Amino acid sequence: SNAPDLLDSYPLPVFGVLKAAVRAMGHVPGDRPLGVIATEASIKSGAFYQALQPACHGRELLCIPCPEFVPLIESGHSAPEDELVKAAVEKQLGPMREAGVSAVLLGCTHFGIISQAISNFMGRDTQLIGAADCAAAELAEYLIRSGETGGSGETLYYTSGNPREFSALAATFLGHELESPAQPVPVMEV
């Protein structure tokens, strides 16, 4: 989400989470405030706020870093009834619930894993918009439009982190073992 210039200059189509999420948030009806949760680095960068402000027609934006979420999720805590998850969600999202936000953008790909806990806390009147889901939907639409959805293929997994740790976590999140081991992504110089 923090490299729009790099993504825009790439010669192939690139589907990132920021632009797709901004488009979705721009369609949230009403005038109640909107919320964004992401990692501390993403919130501090201001990327979500700067992109959302014009798309959301001047609505109040509450951008809150949620530094506890990723370590919880990566340590296996993701169930909506997990007391650690519930406590972290309540602590981090209390101000958003008090503000009565109409939608919360899940700005980190991990956060969808605890979306049920977030939804339970925020209530039925708050829409959750997953940035990862928005990007995946745009990619699917592109593949359909360009006729690239048939035939055979293989599933490959890449990570910028530790491939063994990724494979163990991915199996938990996906509900099945990976078909092939995760491969490391070389670190890019920017």
Side-chain angles (χ1 to χ4, degrees):
S1 67
N2 295 326
D5 295 338
L6 180 63
L7 296 177
D8 288 343
S9 68
Y10 200 70
L12 298 173
V14 175
F15 297 86
V17 296
L18 182 61
K19 288 181 180 180
V22 166
R23 281 189 279 278
M25 288 290 278
H27 289 100
V28 174
D31 60 1
R32 291 176 24 217
L34 299 171
V36 178
I37 59 174
T39 63
E40 197 157 356
S42 289
I43 295 296
K44 280 184 178 178
S45 77
F48 281 108
Y49 185 85
Q50 291 169 7
L52 284 166
Q53 194 61 42
C56 294
H57 316 291
R59 287 169 78 168
E60 181 183 358
L61 293 173
L62 283 80
C63 298
I64 297 179
C66 296
E68 296 177 21
F69 288 2
V70 170
L72 270 175
I73 293 164
E74 289 188 352
S75 65
H77 296 277
S78 59
E81 64 276 358
D82 185 306
E83 292 301 323
L84 291 174
V85 172
K86 287 167 50 175
V89 167
E90 183 175 332
K91 175 183 171 187
Q92 300 290 177
L93 301 184
M96 281 193 186
R97 188 165 83 174
E98 288 175 26
V101 298
S102 60
V104 175
L105 173 61
L106 309 180
C108 172
T109 56
H110 282 66
F111 294 179
I113 295 165
I114 60 169
S115 63
Q116 188 58 57
I118 294 169
S119 181
N120 291 349
F121 178 74
M122 295 302 296
R124 286 184 232 178
D125 290 339
T126 302
Q127 178 184 359
L128 299 186
I129 297 176
D133 297 331
C134 294
E138 286 195 359
L139 173 59
E141 289 173 19
Y142 170 81
L143 292 172
I144 290 167
R145 276 193 322 272
S146 62
E148 298 186 38
T149 57
S152 61
E154 61 182 318
T155 303
L156 302 174
Y157 302 91
Y158 295 93
T159 179
S160 57
N162 180 303
R164 275 193 218 124
E165 290 175 10
F166 175 88
S167 294
L169 284 171
T172 299
F173 300 147
L174 296 173
H176 60 81
E177 295 297 318
L178 301 184
E179 295 85 14
S180 60
Q183 300 297 311
V185 173
V187 176
M188 289 179 26
E189 297 285 326
V190 180

